[in-house]
Amino acid sequence: MVNKDDFLYPRGRYYGQVKPENLVFNANLQEFAQKVSYICNLETGGKLPPDEAYEQIKALWKHLKQTKKQLKIGEDPFNSDPDQSSD
C-alpha cells in the first residue's frame, strides 16, 4: 500500500557527493520545488492571486538561500577570504 505522504511529497534519490550538509540541502531543495509547484498550480487555477504567489515563492527562495548559507554549501573550506566565495 502506498503511503499518502509518499504520494503527495515524493522524494527523489540523491546521487551527489554524500555529506550530511548535501543531503539536508537536497531535501530542502526538493521541498522548495514541491511547494513552488503547488503555488504555481494554485495561481494557474485562479485560487491564488499572482502577487501573493510571487510573494510566497520569494519567501521560499529566501529561506532556501538562508539554508544554503547556514549549511555552507558551495563554500571552499580552505578559503579563509569570505569575499572570494562563489555565492
Side-chain angles (χ1 to χ4, degrees):
M1 180 164 206
V2 176
N3 184 354
K4 175 184 73 164
D5 288 336
D6 291 339
F7 179 75
L8 292 175
Y9 310 107
R11 296 281 181 204
R13 191 168 175 197
Y14 180 68
Y15 292 99
Q17 184 181 11
V18 179
K19 295 191 316 189
E21 59 270 19
N22 289 351
L23 295 173
V24 170
F25 183 71
N26 181 263
N28 290 341
L29 185 60
Q30 288 188 46
E31 182 180 350
F32 168 80
Q34 187 70 42
K35 287 180 178 182
V36 167
S37 176
Y38 284 145
I39 292 168
C40 290
N41 290 332
L42 288 170
E43 193 277 331
T44 300
K47 304 291 183 184
L48 192 63
D51 56 334
E52 187 175 334
Y54 173 81
E55 291 302 324
Q56 287 185 18
I57 292 171
K58 185 177 174 182
L60 289 171
W61 178 251
K62 284 183 178 181
H63 183 262
L64 185 66
K65 281 180 66 173
Q66 180 182 12
T67 301
K68 178 185 177 279
K69 192 172 198 171
Q70 288 173 343
L71 293 170
K72 298 181 171 135
I73 301 295
E75 292 183 13
D76 184 0
F78 302 108
N79 184 359
S80 61
D81 186 3
D83 292 333
Q84 292 188 5
S85 66
S86 59
D87 192 306

